Amino acid sequence: MAIAYLLNPLLLFELVTEAHVDVFVCTSIIIATIAIKKRNVVGVLAIWLGILSKTLPIIWWPLVLALLVQQKRWKSLTLSIILSTSIVLALQSSLLPSLETWKGLLNPGVGDIVSGSLHDMLKLILNSQYVEYLFPNLVISQESILTGFRYLTYLGYVAYYAWVALKAYLNKNYSESKLVVDMGWVTLVLLLFATPWLMPWYPAILFPFIALNLHARWFCVTSFTFGLVLSCAFYTLGYGPLYGQIWPGVIGTVLATIPAIAILLFGRKIRRFPQFEKLLRSKGLL
Protein backbone atom coordinates (compact mmCIF):
# COMPACT_ATOMS: atom_id res chain seq x y z
CA MET A 1 0.00 0.00 0.00
CA ALA A 2 2.82 2.39 0.88
CA ILE A 3 4.47 1.80 -2.52
CA ALA A 4 1.16 2.40 -4.34
CA TYR A 5 0.76 5.77 -2.65
CA LEU A 6 4.39 6.87 -2.77
CA LEU A 7 4.66 6.20 -6.51
CA ASN A 8 1.72 8.48 -7.19
CA PRO A 9 1.98 12.01 -5.73
CA LEU A 10 -1.39 12.87 -7.26
CA LEU A 11 -2.95 10.11 -5.19
CA LEU A 12 -1.67 11.80 -2.03
CA PHE A 13 -2.75 15.23 -3.25
CA GLU A 14 -6.27 14.36 -4.43
CA LEU A 15 -7.23 11.85 -1.76
CA VAL A 16 -5.29 12.87 1.33
CA THR A 17 -4.70 16.62 1.00
CA GLU A 18 -8.11 17.19 -0.63
CA ALA A 19 -9.70 14.50 1.62
CA HIS A 20 -11.96 12.75 -0.91
CA VAL A 21 -13.75 9.52 0.02
CA ASP A 22 -12.20 7.92 -3.06
CA VAL A 23 -9.27 7.11 -0.79
CA PHE A 24 -11.34 4.19 0.49
CA VAL A 25 -11.94 2.98 -3.06
CA CYS A 26 -8.20 3.18 -3.78
CA THR A 27 -7.45 1.23 -0.62
CA SER A 28 -10.00 -1.41 -1.61
CA ILE A 29 -8.38 -1.63 -5.07
CA ILE A 30 -4.98 -2.25 -3.50
CA ILE A 31 -6.30 -4.96 -1.19
CA ALA A 32 -8.46 -6.54 -3.91
CA THR A 33 -5.59 -6.57 -6.42
CA ILE A 34 -3.24 -8.36 -4.04
CA ALA A 35 -5.96 -10.78 -2.88
CA ILE A 36 -7.14 -11.61 -6.41
CA LYS A 37 -3.60 -12.37 -7.56
CA LYS A 38 -3.20 -14.67 -4.53
CA ARG A 39 -6.64 -16.24 -5.12
CA ASN A 40 -7.80 -15.10 -1.72
CA VAL A 41 -11.49 -14.53 -0.96
CA VAL A 42 -10.54 -11.31 0.85
CA GLY A 43 -10.69 -9.74 -2.63
CA VAL A 44 -14.48 -10.10 -2.57
CA LEU A 45 -14.71 -8.25 0.73
CA ALA A 46 -12.36 -5.56 -0.57
CA ILE A 47 -14.56 -4.92 -3.60
CA TRP A 48 -17.56 -4.56 -1.29
CA LEU A 49 -15.58 -2.06 0.77
CA GLY A 50 -15.13 -0.05 -2.41
CA ILE A 51 -18.81 -0.33 -3.35
CA LEU A 52 -19.91 1.01 0.03
CA SER A 53 -17.58 3.98 -0.47
CA LYS A 54 -18.55 4.56 -4.09
CA THR A 55 -20.65 2.43 -6.42
CA LEU A 56 -18.08 2.40 -9.24
CA PRO A 57 -16.41 -0.89 -8.12
CA ILE A 58 -19.64 -2.73 -8.93
CA ILE A 59 -18.54 -2.75 -12.57
CA TRP A 60 -15.72 -5.16 -11.67
CA TRP A 61 -18.05 -7.96 -10.55
CA PRO A 62 -18.89 -9.40 -14.02
CA LEU A 63 -15.18 -9.69 -14.84
CA VAL A 64 -14.46 -11.44 -11.54
CA LEU A 65 -17.33 -13.85 -12.15
CA ALA A 66 -16.12 -14.46 -15.71
CA LEU A 67 -12.69 -15.43 -14.36
CA LEU A 68 -14.14 -17.81 -11.76
CA VAL A 69 -16.41 -19.48 -14.30
CA GLN A 70 -13.71 -19.66 -16.98
CA GLN A 71 -11.29 -21.32 -14.53
CA LYS A 72 -14.10 -23.52 -13.16
CA ARG A 73 -13.40 -22.40 -9.62
CA TRP A 74 -16.86 -23.36 -8.43
CA LYS A 75 -15.92 -23.34 -4.75
CA SER A 76 -14.64 -19.77 -4.93
CA LEU A 77 -17.67 -18.73 -7.01
CA THR A 78 -20.08 -20.24 -4.47
CA LEU A 79 -18.24 -18.66 -1.54
CA SER A 80 -18.24 -15.27 -3.30
CA ILE A 81 -21.99 -15.46 -3.88
CA ILE A 82 -22.62 -16.48 -0.27
CA LEU A 83 -20.46 -13.66 1.07
CA SER A 84 -22.07 -11.09 -1.22
CA THR A 85 -25.57 -12.27 -0.32
CA SER A 86 -24.74 -12.12 3.38
CA ILE A 87 -23.40 -8.57 3.03
CA VAL A 88 -26.52 -7.45 1.14
CA LEU A 89 -28.83 -9.00 3.75
CA ALA A 90 -26.84 -7.46 6.60
CA LEU A 91 -27.04 -4.02 4.98
CA GLN A 92 -30.73 -4.51 4.23
CA SER A 93 -31.46 -5.05 7.90
CA SER A 94 -29.25 -2.22 9.18
CA LEU A 95 -27.83 0.69 7.18
CA LEU A 96 -29.86 0.33 3.94
CA PRO A 97 -33.37 -0.77 4.90
CA SER A 98 -35.24 0.70 1.90
CA LEU A 99 -34.92 1.03 -1.85
CA GLU A 100 -34.32 4.78 -1.52
CA THR A 101 -31.32 4.24 0.74
CA TRP A 102 -29.83 1.82 -1.80
CA LYS A 103 -30.38 4.41 -4.55
CA GLY A 104 -28.49 6.89 -2.39
CA LEU A 105 -25.31 4.94 -3.13
CA LEU A 106 -25.64 6.04 -6.76
CA ASN A 107 -25.06 9.69 -5.78
CA PRO A 108 -28.33 10.96 -7.34
CA GLY A 109 -27.39 14.58 -6.58
CA VAL A 110 -25.14 14.71 -9.66
CA GLY A 111 -27.33 12.55 -11.89
CA ASP A 112 -28.12 15.32 -14.41
CA ILE A 113 -25.01 17.46 -13.98
CA VAL A 114 -22.10 17.61 -16.42
CA SER A 115 -18.65 18.97 -15.70
CA GLY A 116 -15.13 18.46 -17.00
CA SER A 117 -16.11 15.67 -19.42
CA LEU A 118 -16.79 15.27 -23.13
CA HIS A 119 -20.45 15.80 -22.23
CA ASP A 120 -19.53 19.15 -20.69
CA MET A 121 -17.55 20.16 -23.78
CA LEU A 122 -20.55 19.38 -26.00
CA LYS A 123 -22.84 21.39 -23.70
CA LEU A 124 -20.50 24.40 -23.75
CA ILE A 125 -20.32 24.29 -27.55
CA LEU A 126 -24.11 24.03 -27.89
CA ASN A 127 -24.54 27.01 -25.57
CA SER A 128 -22.15 29.17 -27.56
CA GLN A 129 -23.28 31.82 -30.02
CA TYR A 130 -21.33 30.11 -32.79
CA VAL A 131 -23.79 27.21 -33.00
CA GLU A 132 -26.72 29.57 -33.46
CA TYR A 133 -24.74 31.48 -36.10
CA LEU A 134 -23.63 28.39 -38.05
CA PHE A 135 -26.91 26.47 -37.68
CA PRO A 136 -29.70 29.07 -37.53
CA ASN A 137 -32.35 26.55 -38.56
CA LEU A 138 -31.41 23.86 -36.06
CA VAL A 139 -34.66 22.39 -34.79
CA ILE A 140 -33.26 19.79 -32.38
CA SER A 141 -33.14 21.06 -28.82
CA GLN A 142 -29.90 21.17 -26.89
CA GLU A 143 -31.39 18.90 -24.25
CA SER A 144 -32.22 16.26 -26.85
CA ILE A 145 -28.69 16.36 -28.26
CA LEU A 146 -27.12 16.07 -24.80
CA THR A 147 -29.45 13.25 -23.80
CA GLY A 148 -28.78 11.42 -27.05
CA PHE A 149 -25.03 11.81 -26.61
CA ARG A 150 -25.25 10.53 -23.04
CA TYR A 151 -27.14 7.39 -24.04
CA LEU A 152 -24.80 6.89 -26.99
CA THR A 153 -21.79 6.87 -24.66
CA TYR A 154 -23.59 4.53 -22.26
CA LEU A 155 -24.41 2.07 -25.05
CA GLY A 156 -20.88 2.33 -26.39
CA TYR A 157 -19.48 1.56 -22.96
CA VAL A 158 -21.81 -1.42 -22.49
CA ALA A 159 -20.68 -2.79 -25.86
CA TYR A 160 -17.02 -2.30 -24.93
CA TYR A 161 -17.52 -3.95 -21.54
CA ALA A 162 -19.35 -6.91 -23.11
CA TRP A 163 -16.45 -7.36 -25.53
CA VAL A 164 -13.89 -7.32 -22.68
CA ALA A 165 -15.92 -9.78 -20.60
CA LEU A 166 -16.52 -12.13 -23.55
CA LYS A 167 -12.84 -12.04 -24.51
CA ALA A 168 -11.92 -12.87 -20.92
CA TYR A 169 -14.35 -15.78 -20.79
CA LEU A 170 -13.18 -17.26 -24.09
CA ASN A 171 -9.47 -16.89 -23.26
CA LYS A 172 -8.28 -20.21 -21.87
CA ASN A 173 -5.13 -18.56 -20.55
CA TYR A 174 -6.98 -15.75 -18.78
CA SER A 175 -5.20 -15.08 -15.48
CA GLU A 176 -5.67 -13.03 -12.36
CA SER A 177 -3.10 -10.50 -13.58
CA LYS A 178 -5.04 -9.98 -16.81
CA LEU A 179 -8.25 -9.64 -14.81
CA VAL A 180 -6.84 -6.81 -12.69
CA VAL A 181 -5.58 -4.97 -15.78
CA ASP A 182 -9.01 -5.37 -17.43
CA MET A 183 -10.59 -3.95 -14.28
CA GLY A 184 -8.38 -0.93 -14.76
CA TRP A 185 -9.21 -0.61 -18.47
CA VAL A 186 -13.01 -0.72 -17.97
CA THR A 187 -12.66 1.90 -15.22
CA LEU A 188 -10.53 4.15 -17.44
CA VAL A 189 -12.91 3.93 -20.42
CA LEU A 190 -15.92 4.62 -18.18
CA LEU A 191 -14.35 7.79 -16.74
CA LEU A 192 -12.92 8.98 -20.03
CA PHE A 193 -15.97 8.57 -22.27
CA ALA A 194 -19.17 7.79 -20.39
CA THR A 195 -19.00 9.80 -17.15
CA PRO A 196 -20.77 13.19 -17.51
CA TRP A 197 -19.69 14.49 -14.09
CA LEU A 198 -15.89 14.25 -14.06
CA MET A 199 -13.86 15.68 -11.21
CA PRO A 200 -10.02 15.78 -11.10
CA TRP A 201 -9.83 13.24 -8.27
CA TYR A 202 -11.85 10.60 -10.16
CA PRO A 203 -8.87 9.32 -12.23
CA ALA A 204 -6.96 8.94 -8.96
CA ILE A 205 -8.86 5.65 -8.69
CA LEU A 206 -6.68 4.44 -11.56
CA PHE A 207 -3.39 5.14 -9.76
CA PRO A 208 -3.41 2.00 -7.56
CA PHE A 209 -3.96 -0.04 -10.74
CA ILE A 210 -0.91 1.72 -12.20
CA ALA A 211 1.31 1.16 -9.18
CA LEU A 212 0.45 -2.54 -8.88
CA ASN A 213 0.42 -3.38 -12.61
CA LEU A 214 3.50 -1.69 -14.02
CA HIS A 215 3.90 -4.57 -16.50
CA ALA A 216 0.81 -3.25 -18.36
CA ARG A 217 2.77 -0.26 -19.59
CA TRP A 218 0.35 1.11 -22.16
CA PHE A 219 -2.47 1.09 -19.63
CA CYS A 220 -0.18 2.83 -17.15
CA VAL A 221 0.87 5.53 -19.62
CA THR A 222 -2.72 6.21 -20.72
CA SER A 223 -4.14 6.27 -17.18
CA PHE A 224 -1.37 8.41 -15.70
CA THR A 225 -1.66 10.88 -18.58
CA PHE A 226 -5.40 11.12 -17.99
CA GLY A 227 -5.04 11.75 -14.25
CA LEU A 228 -2.18 14.21 -14.63
CA VAL A 229 -3.62 16.41 -17.39
CA LEU A 230 -7.12 16.41 -15.89
CA SER A 231 -5.83 17.67 -12.55
CA CYS A 232 -3.61 20.28 -14.21
CA ALA A 233 -6.40 21.51 -16.49
CA PHE A 234 -8.92 21.68 -13.67
CA TYR A 235 -6.75 23.55 -11.20
CA THR A 236 -5.51 26.05 -13.80
CA LEU A 237 -8.82 26.72 -15.60
CA GLY A 238 -11.43 25.31 -13.22
CA TYR A 239 -10.78 27.73 -10.38
CA GLY A 240 -10.50 31.46 -11.02
CA PRO A 241 -11.95 34.17 -13.29
CA LEU A 242 -12.12 31.86 -16.34
CA TYR A 243 -14.46 29.39 -14.66
CA GLY A 244 -17.75 28.94 -16.50
CA GLN A 245 -16.72 30.70 -19.71
CA ILE A 246 -17.21 28.77 -22.93
CA TRP A 247 -13.81 28.68 -24.58
CA PRO A 248 -11.73 28.23 -21.40
CA GLY A 249 -14.11 25.41 -20.47
CA VAL A 250 -13.79 23.77 -23.88
CA ILE A 251 -10.02 24.18 -23.89
CA GLY A 252 -9.81 22.76 -20.36
CA THR A 253 -11.85 19.70 -21.33
CA VAL A 254 -9.78 19.18 -24.47
CA LEU A 255 -6.55 19.39 -22.46
CA ALA A 256 -7.98 17.02 -19.85
CA THR A 257 -9.26 14.28 -22.17
CA ILE A 258 -7.77 14.42 -25.67
CA PRO A 259 -4.17 13.42 -24.76
CA ALA A 260 -5.36 10.26 -23.02
CA ILE A 261 -7.84 9.50 -25.83
CA ALA A 262 -5.06 9.94 -28.42
CA ILE A 263 -2.80 7.51 -26.55
CA LEU A 264 -5.68 5.08 -26.11
CA LEU A 265 -6.69 5.09 -29.77
CA PHE A 266 -3.37 5.50 -31.55
CA GLY A 267 -0.74 4.44 -29.05
CA ARG A 268 -0.31 0.89 -30.30
CA LYS A 269 -0.05 2.11 -33.90
CA ILE A 270 2.60 4.66 -32.92
CA ARG A 271 4.65 1.84 -31.40
CA ARG A 272 5.03 0.33 -34.87
CA PHE A 273 7.33 3.18 -35.92
CA PRO A 274 10.88 1.97 -35.15
CA GLN A 275 12.27 5.39 -34.20
CA PHE A 276 9.43 6.14 -31.79
CA GLU A 277 9.66 2.66 -30.28
CA LYS A 278 13.42 3.13 -29.85
CA LEU A 279 12.76 6.44 -28.06
CA LEU A 280 10.24 4.81 -25.72
CA ARG A 281 12.64 1.99 -24.94
CA SER A 282 15.42 4.46 -24.16
CA LYS A 283 13.08 6.15 -21.67
CA GLY A 284 12.16 2.83 -20.09
CA LEU A 285 8.52 2.98 -21.22
CA LEU A 286 8.64 -0.24 -23.23
Side-chain angles (χ1 to χ4, degrees), residues 7 10 22 25 45 116 134 155-156 174 192 220 229 250 257 260 275:
L7 287 179
L10 282 174
D22 300 66
V25 183
L45 299 177
L134 295 174
L155 291 175
Y174 197 64
L192 194 55
C220 293
V229 297
V250 171
T257 57
Q275 292 182 345

Side-chain angles (χ1 to χ4, degrees), residues 122 126 131 138 140-150:
L122 178 60
L126 291 175
V131 172
L138 185 65
I140 304 176
S141 66
Q142 294 182 7
E143 189 64 31
S144 299
I145 295 176
L146 291 172
T147 302
F149 182 74
R150 176 174 296 193

Side-chain angles (χ1 to χ4, degrees), residues 39-268:
R39 297 193 173 189
N40 194 314
V41 74
V42 173
V44 175
L45 299 177
I47 292 177
W48 270 104
L49 172 65
I51 292 174
L52 293 177
S53 305
K54 205 166 194 174
T55 50
L56 185 145
I58 203 169
I59 68 173
W60 304 332
W61 269 118
L63 290 177
V64 175
L65 296 178
L67 173 74
L68 296 178
V69 173
Q70 197 274 338
Q71 295 184 347
K72 298 181 180 180
R73 292 165 54 186
W74 308 121
K75 183 178 179 180
S76 297
L77 179 62
T78 302
L79 185 57
S80 298
I81 293 174
I82 292 175
L83 279 175
S84 298
T85 303
S86 301
I87 291 173
V88 170
L89 292 176
L91 292 172
Q92 181 72 35
S93 60
S94 57
L95 298 176
L96 304 170
S98 64
L99 180 61
E100 292 301 318
T101 55
W102 282 98
K103 288 182 178 179
L105 293 177
L106 299 175
N107 197 10
V110 298
D112 297 323
I113 303 176
V114 297
S115 178
S117 62
L118 296 177
H119 303 256
D120 187 29
M121 182 170 63
L122 178 60
K123 182 178 180 180
L124 289 170
I125 292 174
L126 291 175
N127 286 332
S128 69
Q129 58 182 348
Y130 303 100
V131 172
E132 184 178 354
Y133 175 76
L134 295 174
F135 305 98
N137 298 322
L138 185 65
V139 296
I140 304 176
S141 66
Q142 294 182 7
E143 189 64 31
S144 299
I145 295 176
L146 291 172
T147 302
F149 182 74
R150 176 174 296 193
Y151 283 111
L152 181 63
T153 57
Y154 289 167
L155 291 175
Y157 178 74
V158 170
Y160 166 77
Y161 192 104
W163 174 73
V164 172
L166 181 62
K167 186 175 67 171
Y169 177 75
L170 296 177
N171 185 0
K172 295 182 179 180
N173 298 320
Y174 197 64
S175 64
E176 287 76 13
S177 295
K178 292 180 179 178
L179 166 66
V180 174
V181 175
D182 281 344
M183 288 165 57
W185 275 117
V186 297
T187 306
L188 169 64
V189 173
L190 175 66
L191 296 176
L192 194 55
F193 293 102
T195 302
W197 176 260
L198 186 59
M199 292 286 102
W201 56 89
Y202 285 11
I205 295 175
L206 299 167
F207 295 157
F209 284 115
I210 297 172
L212 299 176
N213 297 281
L214 293 176
H215 61 282
R217 291 168 181 167
W218 217 252
F219 165 75
C220 293
V221 170
T222 307
S223 299
F224 190 76
T225 300
F226 180 40
L228 179 65
V229 297
L230 177 59
S231 289
C232 292
F234 185 85
Y235 288 112
T236 53
L237 294 175
Y239 293 142
L242 299 179
Y243 181 76
Q245 297 184 25
I246 293 175
W247 286 115
V250 171
I251 293 172
T253 302
V254 168
L255 293 176
T257 57
I258 298 304
I261 292 175
I263 295 174
L264 180 63
L265 297 180
F266 306 112
R268 295 191 180 277

